[in-house]
Amino acid sequence: MTYGQFGGAEPALRQDVLRAAARHLTRGLVFSNGTIRLDPALPYAIHISVWGLGEQGARLRGADVFTKALRNYRDDPRATFVFTLNAENLESVPELARLCAEAGVRVSFSHFSPTLEYSRLLDDAQAEKGDYFRISRDGGSLMLDRDGLARAQDLIAAALDAYPETVVYSHAFNRWIHRPEGVYDVDPQTGLPANCGSRVTTHYRHFHTDMTDAGDAKCCTPNIDCRTCRLYAQSLASVLHRVQEFTATEASFSDWLDIWEHWRRLFLVERGDALVARPPAERAGRQPLAAA
Ligand code: SF4
């Protein structure tokens, strides 16, 4: 085992487990909502989920989690805020990028990817069904349609150009992930993708919190509908897995290498003293994280 990813529920509630893991695994990633600050000595990258700014985030998450998380992780070189784009929050991208740049944290993007149950309820036109299916409109949902995907691509490109050290993304991936036809070849019979790089294999295992093997689960998000999946970590693994799509020209191969750099900045942190959060004064001249 060379790299650990810790997610689901809230890993920051079990920092004893993370500290124990860090004694054996020096590289890894914690997925967190950012409301509890992780021990500065933990050597892992931290991806903090964001669903909106202020009231917008509160509507989807029940509280303004972003403001608290930004306070907790200001100037922490491990932290990347991952904004899940949906049909209602796209126009927050410029403001989000500015706030993250000012706070000395990085930002990247994922896309709302419905669960199989959400898709089924939408197909059945069942709106406002209980506590767990609150967001739906006639003819619409949180999912990005063709226009929304195009708008997301434009907004991310502009943010990347305006804040290249803050925005962890690549123009090549930005074009790839926003293909309106989707990014996976899904078998209509099984609902499973033929070309997803995040499928569980003998080399990529998942374990429950009691350390039992997750077994034959299709991936780490087995309740997501593969037809419309655009989750960021899974998509990045998939595009990098499909190197043959990028070998036709020097330019396309250069795109693939740019996506690798995008991946590296997201998933690896520097060795040495950058493993701990440095005080703001030391980070005054912020630079992108160097190679691990
Ligand atoms: S990562 Fe997405 S596309 Fe891949 S198996 Fe899981 S839900 Fe399906």
Side-chain angles (χ1 to χ4, degrees), residues 113 183-184 186 191-193 195-200 218-231 234-235 238:
S113 301
V183 295
Y184 298 107
V186 178
L192 295 174
N195 50 1
C196 173
S198 276
R199 296 295 303 279
V200 168
K218 65 178 179 180
C219 65
C220 60
T221 50
N223 59 342
I224 298 296
D225 188 340
C226 297
R227 296 172 300 174
T228 46
C229 178
R230 283 188 171 84
L231 298 172
Q234 294 86 330
S235 304
S238 297

Side-chain angles (χ1 to χ4, degrees), residues 18-292:
L18 296 174
R19 288 188 197 97
R23 289 199 289 274
H24 305 279
L25 276 175
T26 56
R27 296 182 195 277
L29 166 68
V30 181
F31 298 96
S32 175
N33 66 19
T35 56
I36 300 171
R37 187 157 190 263
L38 285 165
D39 183 343
L42 280 171
Y44 299 139
I46 304 166
H47 288 186
I48 297 159
S49 58
V50 183
W51 283 70
L53 305 181
E55 282 303 310
Q56 188 182 63
R59 193 168 97 79
L60 293 173
R61 303 293 294 276
D64 177 13
V65 177
F66 173 71
T67 300
K68 187 168 187 183
L70 203 61
R71 203 162 49 232
N72 281 341
Y73 284 99
R74 180 172 289 273
D75 287 306
D76 190 324
R78 304 169 301 173
T80 301
F81 284 64
V82 179
F83 188 56
T84 297
L85 300 161
N86 66 51
E88 299 185 3
N89 67 12
L90 281 182
E91 300 304 326
S92 299
V93 168
E95 174 75 350
L96 174 80
R98 184 185 67 77
L99 289 170
C100 288
E102 287 177 1
V105 297
R106 301 179 306 170
V107 64
S108 194
F109 302 96
S110 189
H111 295 73
F112 175 71
S113 301
T115 61
L116 287 159
E117 174 72 353
Y118 189 97
S119 296
R120 188 184 66 74
L121 289 169
L122 285 180
D123 289 346
D124 291 349
Q126 294 185 49
E128 309 298 337
K129 182 178 178 297
D131 289 345
Y132 296 101
F133 191 70
R134 291 174 295 143
I135 314 295
S136 176
R137 312 187 294 270
D138 288 344
S141 73
L142 292 181
M143 283 179 62
L144 295 171
D145 60 14
R146 183 176 283 264
D147 289 345
L149 288 167
R151 179 67 178 151
Q153 183 175 341
D154 289 347
L155 287 164
I156 291 174
L160 183 53
D161 289 341
Y163 301 101
E165 295 184 6
T166 297
V167 177
V168 183
Y169 225 70
S170 54
H171 286 293
F173 184 74
N174 196 28
R175 291 189 293 273
W176 186 87
I177 192 66
H178 290 109
R179 298 192 293 193
E181 68 273 20
V183 295
Y184 298 107
D185 298 330
V186 178
D187 183 329
Q189 301 299 321
T190 64
L192 295 174
N195 50 1
C196 173
S198 276
R199 296 295 303 279
V200 168
T201 68
T202 50
H203 303 294
Y204 183 50
R205 307 302 306 168
H206 290 274
F207 298 91
H208 299 301
T209 48
D210 63 1
M211 292 310 290
T212 55
D213 196 310
D216 294 332
K218 65 178 179 180
C219 65
C220 60
T221 50
N223 59 342
I224 298 296
D225 188 340
C226 297
R227 296 172 300 174
T228 46
C229 178
R230 283 188 171 84
L231 298 172
Y232 73 110
Q234 294 86 330
S235 304
L236 275 167
S238 297
V239 69
L240 292 170
H241 191 62
R242 296 187 213 168
V243 62
Q244 69 279 2
E245 291 180 18
F246 293 86
T247 54
T249 66
E250 186 177 336
S252 62
F253 191 64
S254 178
D255 280 350
W256 189 74
L257 294 176
D258 285 348
I259 299 171
W260 261 117
E261 174 62 6
H262 170 174
W263 183 93
R264 183 194 65 78
R265 291 182 68 204
L266 265 182
F267 288 94
L268 299 179
V269 292
E270 289 174 84
R271 298 277 176 175
D273 62 357
L275 293 181
V276 294
R278 284 175 273 163
E282 278 184 39
R283 295 186 51 73
R286 289 174 196 112
Q287 297 293 323
L289 293 175

